[in-house]
Amino acid sequence: MKKQSNKTKFPASFRVPGMAKTSIALGVSTAMLMPMGAARADDDVEMKPVTVVERAFDHNPYAEPDAPYKAKKSGDERRTRPLAETPATIQVMTKTQIEDSGYTDLRDILDAQPGITLGTGENGNAFGDRYIIRGYEARSDTFVDGLRDPGMTIRESFAVEQVEVSKGPSSSFAGRGTVGGAINAITKQATVDYDFTKVSAGVGTDSYGRVTLDANHVVNDNVALRANVLYGYQQVPDRDPADRERKGVALSGLFKPTDKLDILVDYYGLRAEDRPDLGSWLTGTVPNRRPMANSPVYAQNGDFLTSDVDTLTGRIKYKITPNLRLTNLTRYGRSENGYVATGANASSTLTNLNLTTHSGWQDVDYFVNQTSLGWDTTIAGMKHDFIFSLEYTDHKVLNGLYEIGGVVRGANSPSQSNVPVALAQTALDRTNVTKNTANWDIDWQAKAISVSAMDTVDLTEKWTAFAGVRYDKTDISLRTRQAALPTGTQPPQGTINDYGSQNAGMWNSHFGLVYKFLPYANVYAAYGSAADLNGGESDVGSSSGYGGMVTYNGSAAGAKPEKTENFELGTKWNLLGEKLLVTAAIFQTTKSDVMEGANYAAAGTFNTGKNRVQGIELGLAGNVTDKLSAFAGVAFMESEVLDSWTAANVGKRLSNFADITASAQLRYQLTPKFALGTAAKYESEKYAGQPDTAAGFNATTGLYSQPVPAYTVVDAFADYRVTKRAKVRLNVGNVFNADYYLAGYRSGAFVYKGDAINARLTLNYDF
């Protein structure tokens, strides 16, 4: 016999409903390979051994079996077909791929993906993390299990099965915003399919320590409980005393009273606290403007960046008939975000520093209820998958400033000037930081009622059409107030500005047509739209150039919703027994009626902007060979401002936009026990500036004024299976210790530094 390869790896124990828990050994006897009832022709015939090529068993129900870097389907039930048959660019990072990478924060996971860049927070126009997809802001377009997650928090991956990034306008799925796309984190949930308990413990350089627990317990055929627990700490590599601490717990319970009814309840809690490092700053003049090299760490003893998150979600799924199902999701959540961060700048000689204080807190309360009816039927001989949805959301956000030593500090509040570099880490020890809700400065609320209808229909054996329409009736209200600022004597808080509300009904749609010209390959054409209401961002008040409300004569301006349209042509190849997905797409996204209003006072500036992003994106995910797994992609894009109230902006590129972004993660199973891998990411030069308006530009020199340099970073990892239950993994981040920068503030006052070289050793044990 020819030597065979059996690549399926079973868990050490698994459970099928109605059966006792069973243990399966990782081995195959020659007798098992004989056809049933077959007799030996010769008792002396020697059967050659079977080689079992081990791959990680992934409990993720959406992953492709035995292809740990490839997702088979979306966790969003509204996408009824496999990803290989869906007419859209949807990039999915599986749990196994995320674990191999060594990244744990969502910001780092997304930054390693093509077509995505980062912006700055901490008074760089956002709380928490700031993501940019295909050139467009997405900091408010993050979803958890298909429901919007409005708290601009630090987001962790310990309770995540996979992270999905839908590229292109997605308002028919996700509602307002979602101009460049949407991010959807699919969480780990209880299951009655099997028992397991997994513990992971890691240590590393820079005082790194991380422990996680993932345990699923099947009580009986109808009840299961799952718990995920996290504790992690590390100093920011080579940036002491900046550090990061994470504590988290995610609990879920599945109850199946009948064969038709599933009830799933889960709680998610995270306590994240960093001492933030605002990195370096830009110095010099173009064309020689660049980040200050060897900038000191100016994080102070009292600096912090915190996210406290609590959410409770209930899911009810009822199968009315085999072809008719009802799903209801209800979530209530609260997040409290806050930061006090020290910024610095200096002359090109780096003699003395000028320190500034950035401060802010944000309380977020949100409620959402989504009800969907799925109906699979045949009409005129064609199979239809209908999804009808009704959704109600109520989001409330209160922003404010901290009192530091009895004085309220805001963005860029002066702290000290001409501070010696040697004292930068110990100056301004802020031990008296007070959150006084009386010092609020932005009171924002958004309510929406949404209805949608979607259909996937097989027109013929080779042609499939996808279509959907959504209507959102949205109301956004805003009040602002000038909080007290330090001027020697504390002035009273300013008058409240009540801008009233801005409301509009917004229609959005998507359409896709897929032609399956081979059993494993297709081409598709797709259209999608998005819309965003005036004042859609919750953290910037009336700073309309950053998504805040455009106001006129003291009230919300009568601005139209911004409108975005996307056209995409692509192809998907599901190769090697559906273990490898190769994709290619060409796209053009045009955003019109852009609300440029920042710094303008005339009504004529409303809806005056228009811009465009176009490009090509290539990707692959899955098993390249029996031993090589890969996840890779590259995006070649260009952006252009087409219209603007400021004529000088026309023809310029968008801010925080990289023309080329690429990444690759490879894992090679050298032996059944030993695997090694590498990951690399590249991002071309980009330029800071105001979103949608244009990157900062120097008319005198004819050059962009706030450059963030291109970078390439290489990571490496290896793992070894010690026993059937125990495996160790070594991750080395930034192997060549590249000095690189992730994002820059519009003035160049600070640019985020990427992590220096670091190493982590992790033990994974399955009980």
Side-chain angles (χ1 to χ4, degrees), residues 105-157:
D105 279 3
L106 183 60
R107 187 185 79 159
D108 299 324
I109 295 168
L110 293 175
D111 181 55
Q113 309 310 318
I116 300 178
T117 55
L118 299 179
T120 54
E122 295 81 57
N123 280 130
N125 319 110
F127 285 81
D129 299 333
R130 185 175 167 203
Y131 319 112
I132 298 163
I133 304 176
R134 286 185 175 177
Y136 294 104
E137 291 280 336
R139 68 183 187 271
S140 295
D141 299 328
T142 301
F143 296 75
V144 175
D145 297 324
L147 299 179
R148 188 182 293 270
D149 186 40
M152 295 176 187
T153 62
I154 295 171
R155 294 183 169 94
E156 242 278 344
S157 64

Side-chain angles (χ1 to χ4, degrees), residues 277-566:
D277 173 29
L278 296 187
S280 184
W281 57 90
L282 295 178
T283 186
T285 58
V286 291
N288 298 312
R289 188 163 172 79
R290 57 180 57 88
M292 171 66 74
N294 302 315
S295 60
V297 179
Y298 43 84
Q300 307 301 306
N301 293 333
D303 286 359
F304 62 85
L305 170 64
T306 61
S307 283
D308 293 351
V309 184
D310 297 279
T311 62
L312 182 65
T313 306
R315 300 168 174 84
I316 299 175
K317 298 181 180 181
Y318 184 69
K319 186 178 291 186
I320 302 171
T321 71
N323 298 322
L324 191 65
R325 61 197 178 276
L326 184 69
T327 302
N328 180 270
L329 286 74
T330 302
R331 176 176 296 156
Y332 172 74
R334 178 172 176 81
S335 64
E336 298 181 7
N337 309 312
Y339 62 87
V340 172
T342 302
N345 57 72
S347 66
S348 58
T349 59
L350 192 58
T351 54
N352 290 333
L353 296 173
N354 299 316
L355 300 183
T356 57
T357 298
H358 304 254
S359 158
W361 53 263
Q362 180 188 72
D363 292 346
V364 182
D365 288 276
Y366 54 100
F367 173 83
V368 58
N369 181 274
Q370 181 188 91
T371 301
S372 299
L373 180 68
W375 181 33
D376 304 333
T377 188
T378 300
I379 300 176
M382 295 181 290
K383 180 180 181 297
H384 292 258
D385 299 334
F386 289 106
I387 302 287
F388 304 98
S389 295
L390 174 66
E391 183 176 298
Y392 172 76
T393 60
D394 185 357
H395 297 163
K396 301 175 183 178
V397 182
L398 191 68
N399 299 284
L401 304 175
Y402 283 103
E403 292 181 6
I404 303 172
V407 178
V408 177
R409 298 277 190 172
N412 300 313
S413 298
S415 298
Q416 288 189 5
S417 299
N418 298 318
V419 177
V421 172
L423 298 180
Q425 292 186 17
T426 57
L428 299 174
D429 182 6
R430 302 186 183 97
T431 57
N432 186 18
V433 178
T434 303
K435 176 183 175 181
N436 185 347
T437 54
N439 289 321
W440 67 269
D441 58 1
I442 300 172
D443 183 3
W444 180 95
Q445 184 171 357
K447 294 183 178 181
I449 296 177
S450 310
V451 293
S452 65
M454 301 180 188
D455 184 24
T456 301
V457 54
D458 292 326
L459 303 174
T460 69
E461 289 185 358
K462 294 188 175 182
W463 289 93
T464 302
F466 297 72
V469 62
R470 176 170 172 143
Y471 177 78
D472 291 90
K473 180 65 175 179
T474 306
D475 186 291
I476 294 178
S477 62
L478 176 69
R479 297 190 306 158
T480 67
R481 183 180 62 182
Q482 181 69 30
L485 293 174
T487 58
T489 60
Q490 192 74 25
Q493 290 152 341
T495 303
I496 293 175
N497 300 308
D498 189 342
Y499 298 108
S501 63
Q502 175 82 11
N503 58 76
M506 299 179 291
W507 286 97
N508 285 286
S509 61
H510 72 271
F511 176 78
L513 191 63
V514 178
Y515 176 63
K516 195 171 186 178
F517 62 91
L518 290 171
Y520 51 82
N522 63 60
V523 293
Y524 68 86
Y527 165 86
S529 70
D532 204 1
L533 194 62
N534 180 11
E537 298 291 352
S538 65
D539 60 332
V540 287
S542 58
S543 297
S544 52
Y546 293 93
M549 183 171 284
V550 180
T551 63
Y552 187 64
N553 290 334
S555 300
K560 296 182 293 183
E562 296 177 329
K563 183 72 174 178
T564 306
E565 293 184 306
N566 181 73

